[in-house]
Amino acid sequence: YLKISKLALAFAIIHSKPPGKSSKEYTEYLAKTVSEQDFGWKWKVEVLEAEVLRLRQELLLNRISPRFCLENRKQDTSAETLLGQEPVNPVTYSSQLEDSGCDVCNDSAFDSLGIASDFHQSEHNVNTSKHWLERVPPLNFCHSSKEQSLTAPVHFLQRLLEIRKLSEGGILQADFSELENDSFTICSSVSQLLDGLTIFYNSPKFPSPSFLTEGVNVFISLITDTKLSNHVLKKCFKKMEEFKKNLIQIILRNRSVNRFQALNTVSEMLGLLGRNNILRNSLISLLLSEVRQFAEQLLQAHQVQSVYDITQYENMFLLCMILEQLLQNETEESNISSSDYGGEEKIKFLKNLDQIILHLSDEFPLFSLYLWRVSVLLNSGPMQ
């Protein structure tokens, strides 16, 4: 039947082809036409899916706090205005400095790894509902470029955070148990945000666009909020784990000559993720695994005098710096022995580490020093 159908189609094409065109040219023309029609339908489906998600977001916000949605409709703030404004709590990326990106010795490169207050110091007390509501943009899906991958979920999550602040100040009544009843909406919104961040981290622009900085601010505020973080982490934990793995691979695989400017920005994002108690342990395990595997590969290459990947070697120092900072923060802030985290990856990392350092110390002294410093932090006791 299939052969007969193909033969019938071939005869139909030959019979209907216009004068001056060969059968092959006409077939290619028909294939292109059908392909364009398929693309048009896919685009329409994406638009409709975005509209459905927007309506679900509006419905969820209305269920959480009907008064907020009623008053917010009276505001004139638009998505276009938002994109032209500076973020409320801007992140000062070291990657936005004036150099070409070749210098990785800047002391500010990892300042944000140890400062959780960057996203909280500028918060002030809630005085009136009008003051807060004027800052919240309406949900808007009018952007068709890559910006939409960030602006659409950011607007929804911003409004969710504003409801949280207003309810904490006693201005609004809010029922956040509704988040348990609509896991699809919150998961889809967070997934869109993380996918959008990944897109921009893969193809960075400098200086970073304001909506990228705003997306980072919203995400960090979301996972550090005492009430909302539990809902988000519980429903989107796998997506966040995937996001962390993607960021690590972006660091390891980047082979651009002037890559350090972009990689410092990604490193800062990983450090900020590590400020969350739930995400920190899994991030430490991921970093320990990557550093251990590379150390073993480097030792094997050194022993047989084979070529090793010099670019990955250079990029690995960023992971070592993040790992060291996270371990220091864990020990200093939590006053807990580092033996309480790391689990199986910690055991694998420390196994035969002394032998690895011994064999690599002459040829790779800096990398060996980082391995030793990480091992000291892993074996350290609680801070007194």
Side-chain angles (χ1 to χ4, degrees):
Y1 178 80
L2 183 60
K3 290 180 179 179
I4 294 174
S5 300
K6 289 181 177 179
L7 186 61
L9 177 61
F11 274 115
I13 292 175
I14 294 172
H15 179 72
S16 61
K17 72 179 183 66
K21 272 193 176 182
S22 66
S23 299
K24 181 181 179 181
E25 291 173 340
Y26 187 52
T27 302
E28 292 174 348
Y29 165 77
L30 291 176
K32 182 180 179 181
T33 302
V34 172
S35 177
E36 290 175 350
Q37 290 176 351
D38 288 343
F39 178 80
W41 281 109
K42 289 179 181 178
W43 180 80
K44 290 179 181 178
V45 169
E46 290 176 358
V47 171
L48 291 174
E49 287 178 344
E51 177 64 13
V52 169
L53 179 60
R54 184 189 68 80
L55 293 173
R56 293 187 66 132
Q57 289 171 342
E58 290 280 10
L59 180 61
L60 179 59
L61 292 174
N62 187 65
R63 287 175 176 172
I64 294 174
S65 181
R67 179 188 162 193
F68 175 87
C69 295
L70 180 64
E71 294 188 20
N72 188 252
R73 289 193 184 97
K74 301 175 184 178
Q75 306 305 318
D76 296 326
T77 308
S78 65
E80 290 83 355
T81 304
L82 175 76
L83 291 174
Q85 295 174 345
E86 290 297 321
V88 177
N89 293 323
V91 180
T92 304
Y93 286 128
S94 62
S95 59
Q96 297 181 22
L97 300 176
E98 68 277 2
D99 65 336
S100 65
C102 295
D103 184 5
V104 292
C105 299
N106 194 324
D107 293 336
S108 66
F110 289 89
D111 282 352
S112 65
L113 299 185
I115 304 176
S117 59
D118 288 349
F119 294 90
H120 307 291
Q121 285 180 346
S122 62
E123 292 182 1
H124 45 75
N125 295 330
V126 179
N127 297 320
T128 63
S129 71
K130 184 176 184 296
H131 165 72
W132 283 99
L133 292 170
E134 285 177 347
R135 288 173 44 196
V136 186
L139 296 185
N140 197 318
F141 285 83
C142 62
H143 299 279
S144 58
S145 66
K146 289 195 303 182
E147 297 177 9
Q148 184 178 341
S149 63
L150 279 178
T151 55
V154 163
H155 291 173
F156 165 68
L157 296 173
Q158 276 181 325
R159 295 174 73 180
L160 194 62
L161 287 166
E162 295 303 330
I163 292 176
R164 168 78 175 93
K165 293 179 185 297
L166 290 169
S167 64
E168 189 177 35
I171 296 174
L172 280 178
Q173 290 185 348
D175 181 12
F176 289 99
S177 64
E178 289 292 336
L179 294 174
E180 295 288 344
N181 302 325
D182 192 358
S183 59
F184 173 84
T185 300
I186 189 69
C187 285
S188 297
S189 301
V190 173
S191 294
Q192 275 191 350
L193 175 59
L194 296 182
D195 289 341
L197 289 174
T198 302
I199 290 172
F200 280 96
Y201 282 132
N202 264 314
S203 304
K205 294 180 180 179
F206 297 102
S208 298
S210 60
F211 55 84
L212 174 61
T213 304
E214 192 164 11
V216 174
N217 289 339
V218 168
F219 178 64
I220 297 301
S221 298
L222 195 65
I223 64 174
T224 53
D225 187 279
T226 52
K227 275 192 176 180
L228 297 179
S229 61
N230 290 333
H231 294 285
V232 174
L233 291 171
K234 182 170 63 175
K235 300 178 184 303
C236 310
F237 185 77
K238 289 184 178 180
K239 185 66 181 181
M240 293 185 183
E241 289 295 293
E242 178 187 337
F243 180 59
K244 289 185 293 185
K245 292 178 182 178
N246 288 337
L247 294 182
I248 291 174
Q249 291 306 312
I250 288 173
I251 292 177
L252 291 178
R253 295 175 182 175
N254 195 316
R255 313 187 76 83
S256 173
V257 175
N258 289 341
R259 64 186 178 277
F260 299 110
Q261 198 173 20
L263 294 186
N264 281 338
T265 303
V266 182
S267 300
E268 289 172 353
M269 184 64 192
L270 281 171
L272 291 170
L273 290 173
R275 306 300 299 179
N276 182 276
N277 292 330
I278 297 178
L279 298 177
R280 182 188 299 130
N281 287 350
S282 60
L283 179 55
I284 289 176
S285 294
L286 288 172
L287 293 171
L288 284 173
S289 176
E290 291 292 344
V291 174
R292 173 185 60 81
Q293 291 179 43
F294 181 78
E296 293 174 351
Q297 294 170 7
L298 189 61
L299 175 61
Q300 184 179 5
H302 177 63
Q303 288 175 337
V304 299
Q305 296 298 307
S306 62
V307 178
Y308 65 94
D309 190 338
I310 182 64
T311 302
Q312 190 175 25
Y313 175 77
E314 294 172 347
N315 294 345
M316 188 59 62
F317 282 99
L318 289 171
L319 298 190
C320 291
M321 294 169 75
I322 301 168
L323 179 58
E324 182 182 17
Q325 187 66 64
L326 291 177
L327 292 174
Q328 286 177 342
N329 291 342
E330 177 77 12
T331 305
E332 294 171 2
E333 295 176 9
S334 302
N335 200 30
I336 297 174
S337 170
S338 57
S339 60
D340 293 336
Y341 53 80
E344 183 180 350
E345 283 302 329
K346 174 191 170 182
I347 297 173
K348 290 181 180 179
F349 184 87
L350 295 176
K351 184 179 180 181
N352 300 324
L353 183 63
D354 292 339
Q355 291 297 319
I356 293 176
I357 294 176
L358 179 64
H359 287 90
L360 295 180
S361 57
D362 290 337
E363 189 73 21
F364 308 99
L366 184 57
F367 183 65
S368 300
L369 178 61
Y370 266 108
L371 292 178
W372 175 77
R373 288 165 62 165
V374 169
S375 68
V376 170
L377 288 170
L378 286 172
N379 288 316
S380 65
M383 300 289 291
Q384 299 297 329

